[in-house]
Amino acid sequence: MDSLGQTDITASVYVSHPAGANGAFPLVYRAPVDSTNTACLNALREPDTDAWCSLWTDCQTAGRGRQGRRWSSQPGDSLCLSVGRRLPAGVYAAPGLPVAIGVALVEAVRQLGCPVSLKWPNDLLLDNRKLGGVLCEAVSAGIAGETALVAGVGINLRRVALPATPDSTGQPAVSLLPAALADAGLQIAPGQWAHPLATAIATVLAVAHDSSALAQWCTRANASDAWLGRSVSVVERGVVVCTGEALGVAADGQYQIRHPYGVHRVSVGDLSLRESV
């Protein structure tokens, strides 16, 4: 058993790297697991492991989401998957990475037959309800100044009854209401989606440090933007800071909103969008 505690290898993920460092790494299944992101980060810290790793599960006990939200699941409720790589010393992920990962996953899920849209920066929506979410994390790998970079995604396979989470106005936050693949008429084993989603993430992680390459992904976000042209509010720490028309994603991954005093740009990581009511 290796540092991932692997129980099965589903397939290999092939990475086509612009610098020519092409290769393949195993896509490992493990259940249960506390967090696929944590398991990948721990593996990348080990000096004798490969520069890439990927892990998926259908039973996650202590997963994490953006803004400290928990993402846990019982067997069969969801597909949780993480892909990680080590970045060389002095090389860091560009700011547009979380959005680019979201775009790649939306495009992959659409190709699998599910008509999802993207809620900036990287929530996957089905009929304006949250089907899945993404969390990107980076920590020191402790190996000659390298960085461990991981992107994880959780996809609801079947709907679990959850209370609606109110926003600062007391209204339910639309994007937090759950949806599931079953709502799209898709009864599918999670392993069937693990490989294409891992490949989508790996494709973006291969250019994580390249701002111009990520800009191309971010620009593609507007083809699947759930809020484009609609009235939205920006909420920061429970306070509405801006309301206006959603103009879509800029090349650097920031979100643009037109309001009476001009265009407001929202940075990834500290703000979230809510549909105005």
Side-chain angles (χ1 to χ4, degrees), residues 57-245:
T57 188
D58 55 0
C59 182
Q60 180 170 261
T61 60
R64 303 184 301 280
R66 291 180 63 243
Q67 300 177 349
R69 298 189 184 101
R70 294 191 61 188
W71 187 300
S72 300
S73 64
Q74 297 300 312
D77 284 348
S78 65
L79 162 64
C80 301
L81 178 146
S82 296
V83 179
R85 65 169 294 202
R86 282 201 298 267
L87 295 176
V91 176
Y92 303 99
L97 178 66
V99 177
I101 292 287
V103 174
L105 286 168
V106 164
E107 292 182 358
V109 170
R110 284 184 167 187
Q111 290 176 1
L112 291 167
C114 186
V116 293
S117 57
L118 178 71
K119 174 185 172 290
W120 179 91
N122 48 32
D123 280 345
L124 281 65
L125 300 187
L126 177 64
D127 296 329
N128 280 345
R129 290 175 293 121
K130 186 169 181 176
L131 177 70
V134 177
L135 178 65
C136 297
E137 298 182 283
V139 300
S140 171
I143 306 171
E146 294 180 327
T147 298
L149 176 64
V150 168
V153 59
I155 303 286
N156 298 327
L157 300 177
R158 60 191 181 199
R159 195 189 306 181
V160 179
L162 295 174
T165 303
D167 63 16
S168 61
T169 68
Q171 298 296 321
V174 174
S175 65
L176 297 181
L177 299 175
L181 291 181
D183 297 329
L186 295 171
Q187 302 293 335
I188 190 165
Q192 293 178 265
W193 281 40
H195 186 267
L197 296 190
T199 301
I201 294 175
T203 299
V204 178
L205 287 184
V207 295
H209 59 287
D210 188 335
S211 296
S212 22
L214 293 183
Q216 297 180 38
W217 282 102
C218 290
T219 301
R220 285 157 66 172
N222 296 308
S224 55
D225 185 355
W227 296 153
L228 189 64
R230 299 167 71 174
S231 178
V232 296
S233 294
V234 180
V235 181
E236 182 177 7
R237 292 187 289 273
V239 178
V240 176
V241 297
C242 175
T243 298
E245 179 190 357

